[in-house]
Amino acid sequence: MGCIDPNDPLSEAGKRLLGALEVPRTAEEVRELTGEPLFRVRYNLREMVKAGLATKDGERYSVSEAGEKMLER
């Protein structure tokens, strides 16, 4: 189950995960903040990067400008 839904682009889990990226974090750091299993965090982060909601630099993920706009909704 992903955090991006075609009918509603960002689920509650997606909002929590994206909100954890207010500062660049690794997948492990996001897992610690959200309490989600690491495999789910990694999957959802990859999906968010594909959707343009997050960016990846090395091992760290950050919320993108598009992701920030989604969080404001």
Side-chain angles (χ1 to χ4, degrees):
M1 176 161 86
C3 60
I4 301 173
D5 179 329
N7 298 318
D8 181 21
L10 204 55
S11 68
E12 288 302 314
K15 289 176 187 174
R16 279 192 310 274
L17 194 140
L18 202 55
L21 302 178
E22 62 191 55
V23 297
R25 299 190 198 279
T26 64
E28 291 79 7
E29 291 169 333
V30 173
R31 181 198 56 80
E32 289 175 18
L33 287 172
T34 63
E36 293 290 326
L38 186 56
F39 77 91
R40 186 171 294 149
V41 168
R42 286 184 174 149
Y43 171 80
N44 286 325
L45 287 172
R46 284 192 303 267
E47 292 299 306
M48 288 186 162
V49 169
K50 284 183 196 176
L53 300 176
T55 60
K56 184 177 181 190
D57 183 17
E59 295 299 314
R60 297 199 175 273
Y61 295 85
S62 301
V63 65
S64 70
E65 188 174 321
E68 288 176 0
K69 289 180 183 176
M70 290 295 286
L71 287 172
E72 292 173 0
R73 291 183 184 180

